[in-house]
Amino acid sequence: MKEHLYNYILGIADNSLILGQRMGELCGHGPSLETDIACTNISLDLFGQVRSYFQYAAKLAGDGRTEDDIAMLRKEREYVNVLLAEQPNTNFAYTIGRQFLFDIYHLLYLTELQKSKDLTLSAIAKKCIKEVSYHVRFSSDWVKRLGDGTEESKQKMQEAVDDLWVYTDELFHQTEADKVMITEEVGVDVTKLKEEYYTRVSEILEEAGLNIPESKWFQKGGKQGIHTEHLGYLLADLQYMQRTYPNMEW
Amino acid sequence: MSEEQIMSLEKYFEERIARDEKIEPKDWMPEKYRQTHIRQMSQHAHSEVVGMLPEGNWITRAPSLRRKVALLAKVQDEAGHGLYLYSATETLGVSREELYEQLHTGKAKYSSIFNYPTLTWADIGAIGWLVDGAAIINQVPLCNTSYGPYARAMIRVCKEESFHQRQGYEIMIKLANGTPEQKEMAQDALNRWWWPSLMMLGPTDDKSVHTEQSMKWKLKRKTNDELRQQFIDQTVPQADLIGLKIPDPDLKWNEERGSYDFGGIDWDEFWQVVKGHGPMNKERMKARVGAWERGAWVRDAAMAYAEKKEKRKQAV
Ligand SMILES: [Fe+2]
Ligand SMILES: [Fe+2]
Ligand SMILES: [Fe+2]
């Protein structure tokens, strides 16, 4: 098996998986029917992407595991999503903040992944980029609305951005799989996206009248499978059926 | 307007409906027609939105990625149905805020079926198969109803509901052909959802208050009892086909009628749930009211932002 490529795919797909799961929690509980539809739609897009990635990973693994086994039957320490993706829906500002801080990265990342020498990955990137451009528009617009809305919304949006900011740096950390895949011109060098990322994020935050957090202290670990306490509960839901009723088809 | 003028307007109005013409928002209509439509259409919209809750309950726990994607798409469709039904209701001169207010204060009703809990994954299959199935039977005749915006909304809604129904049945097929545990899960879901689904088609004809007027306005084309019979006749063979048993010992094919005879429905339970005392009435309302209240600052922000933006545009 091409182990590095397999691990590399998990690194991309787990972000969509965990963020999609978070967005899926909100269905019917959001501030308006329109935002419910949008959040469900984002979740749907992300899970669609997850399926493409894990179907490919399952093929590479070639050991009979399916997309669902890979998505739902790993141990907590084997999930390699960034910490940002697993942060909870504390309130709508956190939901939007998390989405926004991820979307800007996601779009930059996929734009590069399109050039991958791995044709399956570049094809998936091309397909996803349309969806993710829409996600960027949705979350940026809401950052502006909340930042430049009322005093209360400004304060809530600022608090969310401040809290989530510590998870942004991890997006640009290279893993072992990254390094190998970059030399093979399959993977994206995320360190090169960092400057553009903070420029774009800062532009939107400024337009929204929000402060750009100055903290130089960041959290990391997700890419090595060391998560926040939130992930275990999320996985308990995600894996519930597969764990309770093993080896069945649905 | 004199009484005579109103009488002739009403006569002309009823003639238009009898000729199968559509009534449009700007047309004159009797006040009772407007009120009846606001009530029925908003009740339908509320049902779509409250219906998102029991199904949304299984999004994070769906057993496979394929099922999760399909369930997300379904719940998103239901939200979309809510949206265009609210919009269609608004053409009658009532605002969405007023309609929500009616829902949240318990003044407006929604389909009672959503006051039952979704306990296992098979409930998601049973809801698609039975609840969307019963909804289609209720709604297909509404594609020809007299009020234009409602009829047009229903055409779109019904297409998606039949997709949901097939998808739900497909979940049940898979379970029924699965392991003994899966089959048991499917049978248990059918046992719990069968009778509430029959109740969904409304009280028996002798207890139904609105039927006659509704028939004239094409809000109804068949009586509740006729619709219920149609639902049973359609669904029993589907259960047979996958080896599930309808939980009704009195269910029997009646050669003479060309229909199934079926056992008595527990109407006390029906009225208990309708009056707000079903297993999940309080939770459903708490969820809706809670979402609305927690979201107030978000909606206020969006409004304030839109106003600022408009002002800035005018200043340029
Ligand atoms: Fe419906
Ligand atoms: Fe619907
Ligand atoms: Fe439906």
Side-chain angles (χ1 to χ4, degrees):
Chain A
M1 180 174 86
K2 296 175 171 175
E3 204 182 322
H4 289 296
L5 180 56
Y6 176 83
N7 287 333
Y8 186 73
I9 295 168
L10 295 194
I12 316 172
D14 279 356
N15 289 335
S16 296
L17 174 72
I18 301 302
L19 188 57
Q21 182 78 359
R22 277 287 182 236
M23 286 309 253
E25 291 170 6
L26 292 169
C27 217
H29 304 281
S32 71
L33 208 42
E34 285 81 354
T35 55
D36 267 1
I37 291 176
C39 291
T40 313
N41 194 46
I42 290 173
S43 179
L44 192 54
D45 288 344
L46 291 170
F47 279 113
Q49 299 171 8
V50 167
R51 294 195 68 195
S52 307
Y53 289 126
F54 284 161
Q55 280 165 10
Y56 184 33
K59 214 168 84 185
L60 290 171
D63 55 5
R65 272 184 299 164
T66 65
E67 52 172 309
D68 294 322
D69 297 334
I70 298 175
M72 298 174 180
L73 289 176
R74 278 178 285 153
K75 309 254 162 41
E76 161 149 2
R77 290 279 279 101
E78 293 165 347
Y79 284 84
V80 290
N81 59 283
V82 291
L83 300 178
L84 177 64
E86 70 204 44
Q87 297 311 304
N89 296 306
T90 307
N91 63 33
F92 192 67
Y94 278 80
T95 300
I96 290 300
R98 183 188 60 212
Q99 193 62 38
F100 168 69
L101 292 172
F102 184 75
D103 287 342
I104 300 285
Y105 161 82
H106 202 187
L107 186 61
L108 289 170
Y109 178 84
L110 290 174
T111 307
E112 291 306 308
L113 190 65
Q114 290 183 102
K115 301 172 199 156
S116 171
K117 282 215 166 139
D118 184 296
L119 295 181
T120 310
L121 283 184
S122 80
I124 298 175
K126 283 193 183 107
K127 193 193 128 246
C128 298
I129 215 159
K130 270 187 233 139
E131 297 168 350
V132 173
S133 310
Y134 158 79
H135 302 173
V136 168
R137 210 175 325 134
F138 171 80
S139 60
S140 308
D141 282 352
W142 271 104
V143 167
K144 291 185 227 166
R145 271 187 208 114
L146 298 180
D148 192 15
T150 63
E151 265 315 303
E152 185 187 4
S153 70
K154 185 194 203 71
Q155 185 217 320
K156 286 197 155 86
M157 194 65 237
Q158 186 70 59
E159 191 190 329
V161 169
D162 289 349
D163 274 2
L164 294 168
W165 195 256
V166 299
Y167 301 113
T168 53
D169 191 63
E170 190 193 8
L171 293 164
F172 310 102
H173 293 192
Q174 276 184 359
T175 63
E176 284 314 305
D178 278 15
K179 284 175 194 153
V180 180
M181 286 301 108
I182 291 165
T183 55
E184 291 182 18
E185 293 176 67
V186 167
V188 175
D189 184 350
V190 286
T191 60
K192 290 188 177 149
L193 307 177
K194 189 169 175 173
E195 208 184 295
E196 180 66 15
Y197 174 82
Y198 282 109
T199 308
R200 288 195 191 184
V201 164
S202 302
E203 264 171 29
I204 305 280
L205 292 181
E206 260 166 46
E207 205 187 321
L210 295 165
N211 298 324
I212 295 148
E214 280 168 13
S215 169
K216 296 277 179 287
W217 302 102
F218 293 104
Q219 299 297 324
K220 60 173 195 233
K223 290 184 176 183
Q224 280 70 45
I226 300 170
H227 291 276
T228 58
E229 289 181 351
H230 302 297
L231 189 69
Y233 296 97
L234 182 149
L235 292 180
D237 273 359
L238 178 70
Q239 300 188 340
Y240 165 64
M241 290 296 289
Q242 290 280 342
R243 296 276 180 213
T244 313
Y245 304 94
N247 304 315
M248 296 183 201
E249 282 185 39
W250 303 96
Chain B
M1 233 182 295
S2 73
E3 200 137 310
E4 218 166 280
Q5 279 171 310
I6 291 179
M7 291 279 278
S8 82
L9 273 173
E10 264 180 36
K11 188 162 164 277
Y12 174 67
F13 178 84
E14 300 293 350
E15 282 166 4
R16 285 188 62 197
I17 291 182
R19 281 198 300 271
D20 256 338
E21 280 177 40
K22 291 279 176 267
I23 306 301
E24 295 302 331
K26 291 211 172 80
D27 297 347
W28 182 88
M29 60 186 79
E31 193 49 28
K32 188 153 176 249
Y33 180 90
R34 183 189 306 276
Q35 292 308 331
T36 304
H37 277 76
I38 290 176
R39 195 188 59 236
Q40 178 165 334
M41 290 165 70
S42 66
Q43 188 171 323
H44 192 166
H46 298 325
S47 302
E48 302 285 352
V49 171
V50 177
M52 292 167 70
L53 297 170
E55 295 194 272
N57 184 36
W58 276 89
I59 287 174
T60 60
R61 293 177 294 167
S64 70
L65 292 173
R66 184 170 84 92
R67 293 294 182 200
K68 198 190 281 279
V69 165
L71 180 57
L72 277 161
K74 183 189 187 215
V75 179
Q76 190 188 17
D77 284 349
E78 306 301 6
H81 298 169
L83 204 55
Y84 27 96
L85 282 162
Y86 281 126
S87 305
T89 315
E90 283 176 301
T91 63
L92 291 163
V94 55
S95 72
R96 221 205 288 180
E97 278 64 34
E98 287 172 77
L99 297 173
Y100 279 145
E101 175 77 18
Q102 292 172 0
L103 174 67
H104 296 160
T105 55
K107 203 182 143 210
K109 298 253 173 287
Y110 56 88
S111 184
S112 266
I113 193 91
F114 300 121
N115 292 315
Y116 290 87
T118 47
L119 303 178
T120 71
W121 169 251
D123 290 19
I124 299 306
I127 288 184
W129 175 32
L130 303 174
V131 176
D132 286 83
I136 295 165
I137 291 203
N138 256 331
Q139 290 168 21
V140 164
L142 291 174
C143 296
N144 293 311
T145 193
S146 63
Y147 189 52
Y150 195 25
R152 288 188 289 274
M154 283 335 302
I155 290 171
R156 197 167 159 188
V157 167
C158 279
K159 250 187 234 151
E160 292 179 347
E161 303 296 14
S162 18
F163 185 72
H164 298 164
Q165 197 267 346
R166 280 201 300 276
Q167 198 172 274
Y169 186 52
E170 207 254 318
I171 291 177
M172 296 304 269
I173 294 177
K174 198 85 188 176
L175 295 173
N177 292 324
T179 64
E181 270 169 303
Q182 285 175 306
K183 189 160 182 177
E184 194 188 311
M185 192 192 286
Q187 182 64 54
D188 169 64
L190 173 57
N191 293 349
R192 283 181 289 110
W193 290 92
W194 174 253
W195 293 104
S197 299
L198 297 191
M199 294 176 198
M200 241 183 106
L201 296 147
T204 49
D205 295 347
D206 54 325
K207 295 270 163 29
S208 178
V209 253
H210 307 298
T211 301
E212 201 184 323
Q213 180 72 87
S214 298
M215 291 273 185
K216 214 164 73 187
W217 288 338
K218 297 174 183 169
L219 271 171
K220 236 181 183 343
R221 307 221 123 165
K222 290 180 182 169
T223 70
N224 293 348
D225 288 334
E226 286 168 337
L227 293 171
R228 194 164 10 251
Q229 187 70 61
Q230 186 187 337
F231 174 75
I232 292 169
D233 291 346
Q234 162 190 309
T235 310
V236 173
Q238 293 171 350
D240 288 346
L241 196 64
I242 57 176
L244 294 181
K245 197 173 170 333
I246 302 284
D248 178 356
D250 298 324
L251 188 81
K252 218 175 91 208
W253 177 251
N254 182 324
E255 196 64 59
E256 211 171 296
R257 290 200 306 126
S259 267
Y260 284 93
D261 293 336
F262 54 97
I265 293 172
D266 182 355
W267 291 110
D268 290 341
E269 176 181 324
F270 174 79
W271 290 113
Q272 176 173 344
V273 181
V274 169
K275 287 177 180 149
H277 308 288
M280 294 296 281
N281 296 60
K282 301 231 159 45
E283 282 79 356
R284 297 292 183 240
M285 263 319 97
K286 239 184 241 167
R288 283 315 312 162
V289 173
W292 186 248
E293 286 173 354
R294 272 193 312 278
W297 69 272
V298 176
R299 295 189 305 275
D300 289 347
M303 189 95 82
Y305 177 77
E307 277 165 17
K308 282 187 206 173
K309 219 175 157 187
E310 187 57 33
K311 254 187 218 150
R312 275 176 220 147
K313 213 164 76 189
Q314 280 167 4
V316 174

